[in-house]
Amino acid sequence: MTGAADQGVRIGLSVVVMALKDRRSVVLTTQGEDGARALPFGPFDPVRDRTFELALRDFVTEQTGFRLGFVEQLYTFGDAGRATPRATPAVDQRREVSVGYLALTPDAAEVQTEAQTHDARWDAAFDIFPWEDRRTANPALRNALSQGLALWAGDNDQRQARARALFALTPDHRWNEERVLERYELLYEARLVAEAWRDGDQPPPPSVLPGMTMASDHRRILATGLGRLRSKLKYRPVLFDLTPGVFTLSALQAAAEAVSGLTLHKQNFRRGVERTGLVEPTGQLSSATGGRPAELFRFKGVDPQTGAAPGLSLPAQR
């Protein structure tokens, strides 16, 4: 009889740490065991560790030299055989449950320290998910995406409908920036990302889409985190967790665009910011814009009486 320990559960903790750097959204990564980039990840020891969050904070600092600020639980990933983005049950593996967290920081400073144990760095989110950046035309990527999805869908009406809806392949479909995870999982199913071939122990063909491969199912976890962040932009003032204490409205718009992957209408965005009452002028000007000095603003914070703090609207692209 197989012992309980052989069929037990291993609990791991992973975190998506996102920041803005050079007007790009970036994510903190480490070196995975197979050489691929990975999210900060570590085991939870129920004997040694008092809480998930304390364990998470300790190993992230150990691995990267970075100290986490506010974190929130993202999702619990508990599929059997979750060393792959799609569950592939394996009888000789224990169930591994990963509790994912999302953390935001306004400081994407260098994370190199003598104490770190994993080659930590900040990677651009759109280097990992290039199809999620809709701000500039990328005909080569769009053609490869369309052709790959067409070959996968074939004459299957259901597949065709999924691809058109998720990737807005026709003018009558609107791009929904929040559906990052659904798009990645469809691309995995269509074998258009390298992980799908890696998990089948096959070398990826030239037809796979560009994008940085990540260890285990970490690109899936990151897709969940990016989708959550994009959703929260609209109902909570999370953008200010990524920005410095003072900022111009142009810099605030650039931050929103860097996260959403959308080009936003300048005047509509500013009017939306003013309607929320979330910011106030500092009475100072910034000369770092390269042109006419711009007014500096700061986040007013949550209403102390009501606790209300709305998100920011993302007006239509130009």
Side-chain angles (χ1 to χ4, degrees), residues 54-83:
L54 289 175
L56 179 81
R57 292 179 182 279
D58 287 346
F59 76 70
V60 168
T61 301
E62 178 186 352
Q63 289 180 9
T64 70
F66 184 83
R67 294 190 178 277
L68 292 175
F70 172 78
V71 298
E72 67 172 73
Q73 190 167 325
L74 181 63
Y75 193 78
T76 298
F77 301 84
D79 293 339
R82 60 163 293 279

PDB file of all heavy atoms in Angstrom, residues 54-83:
ATOM      1  N   LEU A  54       4.103  35.331   5.739  1.00  0.00           N
ATOM      2  CA  LEU A  54       5.431  35.513   6.333  1.00  0.00           C
ATOM      3  C   LEU A  54       6.467  34.666   5.612  1.00  0.00           C
ATOM      4  O   LEU A  54       7.592  35.116   5.364  1.00  0.00           O
ATOM      5  CB  LEU A  54       5.397  35.170   7.818  1.00  0.00           C
ATOM      6  CG  LEU A  54       4.654  36.157   8.727  1.00  0.00           C
ATOM      7  CD1 LEU A  54       4.593  35.627  10.154  1.00  0.00           C
ATOM      8  CD2 LEU A  54       5.325  37.530   8.691  1.00  0.00           C
ATOM      9  N   ALA A  55       6.096  33.431   5.266  1.00  0.00           N
ATOM     10  CA  ALA A  55       7.016  32.570   4.517  1.00  0.00           C
ATOM     11  C   ALA A  55       7.330  33.176   3.156  1.00  0.00           C
ATOM     12  O   ALA A  55       8.476  33.182   2.704  1.00  0.00           O
ATOM     13  CB  ALA A  55       6.409  31.175   4.364  1.00  0.00           C
ATOM     14  N   LEU A  56       6.302  33.689   2.500  1.00  0.00           N
ATOM     15  CA  LEU A  56       6.478  34.315   1.194  1.00  0.00           C
ATOM     16  C   LEU A  56       7.455  35.476   1.273  1.00  0.00           C
ATOM     17  O   LEU A  56       8.396  35.584   0.477  1.00  0.00           O
ATOM     18  CB  LEU A  56       5.119  34.796   0.682  1.00  0.00           C
ATOM     19  CG  LEU A  56       5.109  35.509  -0.670  1.00  0.00           C
ATOM     20  CD1 LEU A  56       5.128  34.496  -1.792  1.00  0.00           C
ATOM     21  CD2 LEU A  56       3.865  36.393  -0.789  1.00  0.00           C
ATOM     22  N   ARG A  57       7.246  36.354   2.245  1.00  0.00           N
ATOM     23  CA  ARG A  57       8.119  37.522   2.381  1.00  0.00           C
ATOM     24  C   ARG A  57       9.567  37.107   2.624  1.00  0.00           C
ATOM     25  O   ARG A  57      10.502  37.693   2.064  1.00  0.00           O
ATOM     26  CB  ARG A  57       7.619  38.408   3.520  1.00  0.00           C
ATOM     27  CG  ARG A  57       6.286  39.089   3.236  1.00  0.00           C
ATOM     28  CD  ARG A  57       5.817  39.940   4.411  1.00  0.00           C
ATOM     29  NE  ARG A  57       4.530  40.531   4.135  1.00  0.00           N
ATOM     30  CZ  ARG A  57       4.338  41.627   3.407  1.00  0.00           C
ATOM     31  NH1 ARG A  57       5.394  42.251   2.890  1.00  0.00           N
ATOM     32  NH2 ARG A  57       3.129  42.102   3.190  1.00  0.00           N
ATOM     33  N   ASP A  58       9.762  36.085   3.438  1.00  0.00           N
ATOM     34  CA  ASP A  58      11.127  35.669   3.764  1.00  0.00           C
ATOM     35  C   ASP A  58      11.867  35.141   2.546  1.00  0.00           C
ATOM     36  O   ASP A  58      13.003  35.530   2.274  1.00  0.00           O
ATOM     37  CB  ASP A  58      11.094  34.592   4.858  1.00  0.00           C
ATOM     38  CG  ASP A  58      10.739  35.155   6.225  1.00  0.00           C
ATOM     39  OD1 ASP A  58      10.777  36.387   6.387  1.00  0.00           O
ATOM     40  OD2 ASP A  58      10.396  34.356   7.123  1.00  0.00           O
ATOM     41  N   PHE A  59      11.222  34.237   1.776  1.00  0.00           N
ATOM     42  CA  PHE A  59      11.987  33.655   0.673  1.00  0.00           C
ATOM     43  C   PHE A  59      12.134  34.619  -0.499  1.00  0.00           C
ATOM     44  O   PHE A  59      13.104  34.540  -1.247  1.00  0.00           O
ATOM     45  CB  PHE A  59      11.439  32.291   0.243  1.00  0.00           C
ATOM     46  CG  PHE A  59      10.191  32.291  -0.577  1.00  0.00           C
ATOM     47  CD1 PHE A  59      10.175  32.735  -1.888  1.00  0.00           C
ATOM     48  CD2 PHE A  59       9.001  31.804  -0.050  1.00  0.00           C
ATOM     49  CE1 PHE A  59       9.026  32.714  -2.650  1.00  0.00           C
ATOM     50  CE2 PHE A  59       7.847  31.770  -0.812  1.00  0.00           C
ATOM     51  CZ  PHE A  59       7.860  32.240  -2.111  1.00  0.00           C
ATOM     52  N   VAL A  60      11.184  35.550  -0.683  1.00  0.00           N
ATOM     53  CA  VAL A  60      11.354  36.540  -1.748  1.00  0.00           C
ATOM     54  C   VAL A  60      12.560  37.420  -1.454  1.00  0.00           C
ATOM     55  O   VAL A  60      13.382  37.698  -2.337  1.00  0.00           O
ATOM     56  CB  VAL A  60      10.075  37.387  -1.915  1.00  0.00           C
ATOM     57  CG1 VAL A  60      10.352  38.594  -2.815  1.00  0.00           C
ATOM     58  CG2 VAL A  60       8.961  36.549  -2.513  1.00  0.00           C
ATOM     59  N   THR A  61      12.707  37.845  -0.207  1.00  0.00           N
ATOM     60  CA  THR A  61      13.873  38.652   0.160  1.00  0.00           C
ATOM     61  C   THR A  61      15.158  37.858   0.009  1.00  0.00           C
ATOM     62  O   THR A  61      16.175  38.363  -0.484  1.00  0.00           O
ATOM     63  CB  THR A  61      13.731  39.159   1.606  1.00  0.00           C
ATOM     64  OG1 THR A  61      12.541  39.938   1.717  1.00  0.00           O
ATOM     65  CG2 THR A  61      14.929  40.020   1.991  1.00  0.00           C
ATOM     66  N   GLU A  62      15.115  36.575   0.393  1.00  0.00           N
ATOM     67  CA  GLU A  62      16.301  35.729   0.267  1.00  0.00           C
ATOM     68  C   GLU A  62      16.690  35.521  -1.190  1.00  0.00           C
ATOM     69  O   GLU A  62      17.870  35.588  -1.548  1.00  0.00           O
ATOM     70  CB  GLU A  62      16.035  34.372   0.927  1.00  0.00           C
ATOM     71  CG  GLU A  62      17.204  33.404   0.798  1.00  0.00           C
ATOM     72  CD  GLU A  62      16.874  32.018   1.332  1.00  0.00           C
ATOM     73  OE1 GLU A  62      15.801  31.850   1.938  1.00  0.00           O
ATOM     74  OE2 GLU A  62      17.688  31.095   1.126  1.00  0.00           O
ATOM     75  N   GLN A  63      15.699  35.300  -2.054  1.00  0.00           N
ATOM     76  CA  GLN A  63      15.989  35.004  -3.450  1.00  0.00           C
ATOM     77  C   GLN A  63      16.390  36.243  -4.236  1.00  0.00           C
ATOM     78  O   GLN A  63      17.215  36.172  -5.146  1.00  0.00           O
ATOM     79  CB  GLN A  63      14.769  34.361  -4.115  1.00  0.00           C
ATOM     80  CG  GLN A  63      14.466  32.946  -3.660  1.00  0.00           C
ATOM     81  CD  GLN A  63      13.247  32.356  -4.362  1.00  0.00           C
ATOM     82  OE1 GLN A  63      12.729  32.938  -5.306  1.00  0.00           O
ATOM     83  NE2 GLN A  63      12.794  31.216  -3.902  1.00  0.00           N
ATOM     84  N   THR A  64      15.768  37.368  -3.937  1.00  0.00           N
ATOM     85  CA  THR A  64      15.905  38.541  -4.812  1.00  0.00           C
ATOM     86  C   THR A  64      16.493  39.772  -4.145  1.00  0.00           C
ATOM     87  O   THR A  64      16.873  40.715  -4.832  1.00  0.00           O
ATOM     88  CB  THR A  64      14.522  38.940  -5.370  1.00  0.00           C
ATOM     89  OG1 THR A  64      13.721  39.488  -4.314  1.00  0.00           O
ATOM     90  CG2 THR A  64      13.804  37.751  -5.983  1.00  0.00           C
ATOM     91  N   GLY A  65      16.534  39.792  -2.826  1.00  0.00           N
ATOM     92  CA  GLY A  65      16.964  41.001  -2.134  1.00  0.00           C
ATOM     93  C   GLY A  65      15.874  42.049  -2.065  1.00  0.00           C
ATOM     94  O   GLY A  65      16.089  43.143  -1.542  1.00  0.00           O
ATOM     95  N   PHE A  66      14.679  41.731  -2.564  1.00  0.00           N
ATOM     96  CA  PHE A  66      13.574  42.686  -2.608  1.00  0.00           C
ATOM     97  C   PHE A  66      12.635  42.426  -1.439  1.00  0.00           C
ATOM     98  O   PHE A  66      12.273  41.287  -1.155  1.00  0.00           O
ATOM     99  CB  PHE A  66      12.810  42.533  -3.929  1.00  0.00           C
ATOM    100  CG  PHE A  66      11.705  43.532  -4.122  1.00  0.00           C
ATOM    101  CD1 PHE A  66      11.973  44.802  -4.598  1.00  0.00           C
ATOM    102  CD2 PHE A  66      10.402  43.198  -3.813  1.00  0.00           C
ATOM    103  CE1 PHE A  66      10.962  45.723  -4.777  1.00  0.00           C
ATOM    104  CE2 PHE A  66       9.375  44.106  -3.988  1.00  0.00           C
ATOM    105  CZ  PHE A  66       9.653  45.372  -4.464  1.00  0.00           C
ATOM    106  N   ARG A  67      12.232  43.505  -0.758  1.00  0.00           N
ATOM    107  CA  ARG A  67      11.304  43.380   0.366  1.00  0.00           C
ATOM    108  C   ARG A  67       9.902  43.755  -0.100  1.00  0.00           C
ATOM    109  O   ARG A  67       9.677  44.862  -0.580  1.00  0.00           O
ATOM    110  CB  ARG A  67      11.742  44.261   1.541  1.00  0.00           C
ATOM    111  CG  ARG A  67      13.053  43.812   2.160  1.00  0.00           C
ATOM    112  CD  ARG A  67      13.357  44.526   3.472  1.00  0.00           C
ATOM    113  NE  ARG A  67      14.589  44.032   4.052  1.00  0.00           N
ATOM    114  CZ  ARG A  67      14.676  42.935   4.800  1.00  0.00           C
ATOM    115  NH1 ARG A  67      13.581  42.230   5.063  1.00  0.00           N
ATOM    116  NH2 ARG A  67      15.837  42.540   5.290  1.00  0.00           N
ATOM    117  N   LEU A  68       8.978  42.822   0.052  1.00  0.00           N
ATOM    118  CA  LEU A  68       7.608  43.043  -0.389  1.00  0.00           C
ATOM    119  C   LEU A  68       6.893  44.053   0.497  1.00  0.00           C
ATOM    120  O   LEU A  68       7.070  44.065   1.709  1.00  0.00           O
ATOM    121  CB  LEU A  68       6.823  41.727  -0.357  1.00  0.00           C
ATOM    122  CG  LEU A  68       7.234  40.648  -1.361  1.00  0.00           C
ATOM    123  CD1 LEU A  68       6.431  39.378  -1.097  1.00  0.00           C
ATOM    124  CD2 LEU A  68       7.019  41.118  -2.785  1.00  0.00           C
ATOM    125  N   GLY A  69       6.063  44.882  -0.134  1.00  0.00           N
ATOM    126  CA  GLY A  69       5.158  45.744   0.596  1.00  0.00           C
ATOM    127  C   GLY A  69       3.821  45.037   0.730  1.00  0.00           C
ATOM    128  O   GLY A  69       3.743  43.884   1.158  1.00  0.00           O
ATOM    129  N   PHE A  70       2.759  45.712   0.291  1.00  0.00           N
ATOM    130  CA  PHE A  70       1.428  45.117   0.359  1.00  0.00           C
ATOM    131  C   PHE A  70       1.310  43.975  -0.646  1.00  0.00           C
ATOM    132  O   PHE A  70       1.740  44.088  -1.791  1.00  0.00           O
ATOM    133  CB  PHE A  70       0.365  46.174   0.057  1.00  0.00           C
ATOM    134  CG  PHE A  70      -1.023  45.609  -0.091  1.00  0.00           C
ATOM    135  CD1 PHE A  70      -1.761  45.265   1.023  1.00  0.00           C
ATOM    136  CD2 PHE A  70      -1.571  45.397  -1.345  1.00  0.00           C
ATOM    137  CE1 PHE A  70      -3.026  44.723   0.898  1.00  0.00           C
ATOM    138  CE2 PHE A  70      -2.843  44.872  -1.485  1.00  0.00           C
ATOM    139  CZ  PHE A  70      -3.567  44.531  -0.360  1.00  0.00           C
ATOM    140  N   VAL A  71       0.747  42.862  -0.218  1.00  0.00           N
ATOM    141  CA  VAL A  71       0.466  41.741  -1.117  1.00  0.00           C
ATOM    142  C   VAL A  71      -0.974  41.298  -0.902  1.00  0.00           C
ATOM    143  O   VAL A  71      -1.549  41.482   0.173  1.00  0.00           O
ATOM    144  CB  VAL A  71       1.420  40.541  -0.890  1.00  0.00           C
ATOM    145  CG1 VAL A  71       2.859  40.918  -1.160  1.00  0.00           C
ATOM    146  CG2 VAL A  71       1.270  39.973   0.515  1.00  0.00           C
ATOM    147  N   GLU A  72      -1.563  40.719  -1.935  1.00  0.00           N
ATOM    148  CA  GLU A  72      -2.896  40.133  -1.810  1.00  0.00           C
ATOM    149  C   GLU A  72      -2.881  38.760  -2.461  1.00  0.00           C
ATOM    150  O   GLU A  72      -2.140  38.514  -3.421  1.00  0.00           O
ATOM    151  CB  GLU A  72      -3.961  41.008  -2.471  1.00  0.00           C
ATOM    152  CG  GLU A  72      -3.853  41.111  -3.987  1.00  0.00           C
ATOM    153  CD  GLU A  72      -5.062  41.838  -4.582  1.00  0.00           C
ATOM    154  OE1 GLU A  72      -5.144  43.061  -4.429  1.00  0.00           O
ATOM    155  OE2 GLU A  72      -5.891  41.158  -5.195  1.00  0.00           O
ATOM    156  N   GLN A  73      -3.702  37.865  -1.927  1.00  0.00           N
ATOM    157  CA  GLN A  73      -3.745  36.528  -2.498  1.00  0.00           C
ATOM    158  C   GLN A  73      -4.401  36.574  -3.867  1.00  0.00           C
ATOM    159  O   GLN A  73      -5.421  37.236  -4.056  1.00  0.00           O
ATOM    160  CB  GLN A  73      -4.501  35.560  -1.584  1.00  0.00           C
ATOM    161  CG  GLN A  73      -4.362  34.115  -2.013  1.00  0.00           C
ATOM    162  CD  GLN A  73      -4.839  33.145  -0.954  1.00  0.00           C
ATOM    163  OE1 GLN A  73      -4.689  33.386   0.232  1.00  0.00           O
ATOM    164  NE2 GLN A  73      -5.425  32.038  -1.391  1.00  0.00           N
ATOM    165  N   LEU A  74      -3.791  35.893  -4.809  1.00  0.00           N
ATOM    166  CA  LEU A  74      -4.221  35.938  -6.195  1.00  0.00           C
ATOM    167  C   LEU A  74      -5.119  34.753  -6.545  1.00  0.00           C
ATOM    168  O   LEU A  74      -6.243  34.924  -7.031  1.00  0.00           O
ATOM    169  CB  LEU A  74      -2.979  35.944  -7.096  1.00  0.00           C
ATOM    170  CG  LEU A  74      -3.176  36.003  -8.604  1.00  0.00           C
ATOM    171  CD1 LEU A  74      -3.861  37.296  -9.013  1.00  0.00           C
ATOM    172  CD2 LEU A  74      -1.821  35.874  -9.307  1.00  0.00           C
ATOM    173  N   TYR A  75      -4.631  33.563  -6.286  1.00  0.00           N
ATOM    174  CA  TYR A  75      -5.351  32.359  -6.707  1.00  0.00           C
ATOM    175  C   TYR A  75      -4.620  31.161  -6.110  1.00  0.00           C
ATOM    176  O   TYR A  75      -3.440  31.257  -5.775  1.00  0.00           O
ATOM    177  CB  TYR A  75      -5.344  32.274  -8.245  1.00  0.00           C
ATOM    178  CG  TYR A  75      -6.294  31.272  -8.844  1.00  0.00           C
ATOM    179  CD1 TYR A  75      -7.653  31.542  -8.942  1.00  0.00           C
ATOM    180  CD2 TYR A  75      -5.825  30.054  -9.334  1.00  0.00           C
ATOM    181  CE1 TYR A  75      -8.533  30.621  -9.499  1.00  0.00           C
ATOM    182  CE2 TYR A  75      -6.694  29.134  -9.902  1.00  0.00           C
ATOM    183  CZ  TYR A  75      -8.046  29.423  -9.975  1.00  0.00           C
ATOM    184  OH  TYR A  75      -8.915  28.507 -10.530  1.00  0.00           O
ATOM    185  N   THR A  76      -5.326  30.059  -5.984  1.00  0.00           N
ATOM    186  CA  THR A  76      -4.694  28.820  -5.572  1.00  0.00           C
ATOM    187  C   THR A  76      -4.672  27.868  -6.758  1.00  0.00           C
ATOM    188  O   THR A  76      -5.718  27.521  -7.306  1.00  0.00           O
ATOM    189  CB  THR A  76      -5.450  28.169  -4.398  1.00  0.00           C
ATOM    190  OG1 THR A  76      -5.421  29.066  -3.283  1.00  0.00           O
ATOM    191  CG2 THR A  76      -4.794  26.857  -3.988  1.00  0.00           C
ATOM    192  N   PHE A  77      -3.480  27.484  -7.164  1.00  0.00           N
ATOM    193  CA  PHE A  77      -3.300  26.612  -8.325  1.00  0.00           C
ATOM    194  C   PHE A  77      -3.067  25.199  -7.794  1.00  0.00           C
ATOM    195  O   PHE A  77      -2.029  24.911  -7.209  1.00  0.00           O
ATOM    196  CB  PHE A  77      -2.117  27.075  -9.169  1.00  0.00           C
ATOM    197  CG  PHE A  77      -2.263  28.492  -9.668  1.00  0.00           C
ATOM    198  CD1 PHE A  77      -1.911  29.564  -8.867  1.00  0.00           C
ATOM    199  CD2 PHE A  77      -2.780  28.750 -10.927  1.00  0.00           C
ATOM    200  CE1 PHE A  77      -2.053  30.865  -9.317  1.00  0.00           C
ATOM    201  CE2 PHE A  77      -2.935  30.052 -11.378  1.00  0.00           C
ATOM    202  CZ  PHE A  77      -2.572  31.102 -10.571  1.00  0.00           C
ATOM    203  N   GLY A  78      -4.048  24.314  -7.991  1.00  0.00           N
ATOM    204  CA  GLY A  78      -3.964  22.998  -7.383  1.00  0.00           C
ATOM    205  C   GLY A  78      -4.189  21.845  -8.320  1.00  0.00           C
ATOM    206  O   GLY A  78      -4.504  20.741  -7.873  1.00  0.00           O
ATOM    207  N   ASP A  79      -4.062  22.053  -9.621  1.00  0.00           N
ATOM    208  CA  ASP A  79      -4.254  20.964 -10.564  1.00  0.00           C
ATOM    209  C   ASP A  79      -3.228  19.854 -10.331  1.00  0.00           C
ATOM    210  O   ASP A  79      -2.084  20.111  -9.970  1.00  0.00           O
ATOM    211  CB  ASP A  79      -4.107  21.450 -12.007  1.00  0.00           C
ATOM    212  CG  ASP A  79      -5.218  22.411 -12.410  1.00  0.00           C
ATOM    213  OD1 ASP A  79      -6.267  22.392 -11.751  1.00  0.00           O
ATOM    214  OD2 ASP A  79      -5.014  23.161 -13.375  1.00  0.00           O
ATOM    215  N   ALA A  80      -3.644  18.633 -10.559  1.00  0.00           N
ATOM    216  CA  ALA A  80      -2.694  17.521 -10.489  1.00  0.00           C
ATOM    217  C   ALA A  80      -1.629  17.703 -11.557  1.00  0.00           C
ATOM    218  O   ALA A  80      -1.904  18.126 -12.672  1.00  0.00           O
ATOM    219  CB  ALA A  80      -3.430  16.200 -10.700  1.00  0.00           C
ATOM    220  N   GLY A  81      -0.375  17.395 -11.204  1.00  0.00           N
ATOM    221  CA  GLY A  81       0.718  17.509 -12.161  1.00  0.00           C
ATOM    222  C   GLY A  81       0.923  18.930 -12.626  1.00  0.00           C
ATOM    223  O   GLY A  81       1.189  19.162 -13.794  1.00  0.00           O
ATOM    224  N   ARG A  82       0.834  19.909 -11.698  1.00  0.00           N
ATOM    225  CA  ARG A  82       0.817  21.306 -12.135  1.00  0.00           C
ATOM    226  C   ARG A  82       2.204  21.840 -12.485  1.00  0.00           C
ATOM    227  O   ARG A  82       2.442  23.029 -12.453  1.00  0.00           O
ATOM    228  CB  ARG A  82       0.177  22.200 -11.088  1.00  0.00           C
ATOM    229  CG  ARG A  82       0.867  22.211  -9.754  1.00  0.00           C
ATOM    230  CD  ARG A  82       0.433  23.411  -8.936  1.00  0.00           C
ATOM    231  NE  ARG A  82       0.895  24.636  -9.526  1.00  0.00           N
ATOM    232  CZ  ARG A  82       2.122  25.113  -9.366  1.00  0.00           C
ATOM    233  NH1 ARG A  82       3.010  24.457  -8.653  1.00  0.00           N
ATOM    234  NH2 ARG A  82       2.471  26.244  -9.926  1.00  0.00           N
ATOM    235  N   ALA A  83       3.117  20.944 -12.872  1.00  0.00           N
ATOM    236  CA  ALA A  83       4.375  21.416 -13.420  1.00  0.00           C
ATOM    237  C   ALA A  83       4.175  21.892 -14.850  1.00  0.00           C
ATOM    238  O   ALA A  83       5.101  22.313 -15.511  1.00  0.00           O
ATOM    239  CB  ALA A  83       5.445  20.325 -13.374  1.00  0.00           C
TER     240      ALA A  83
END
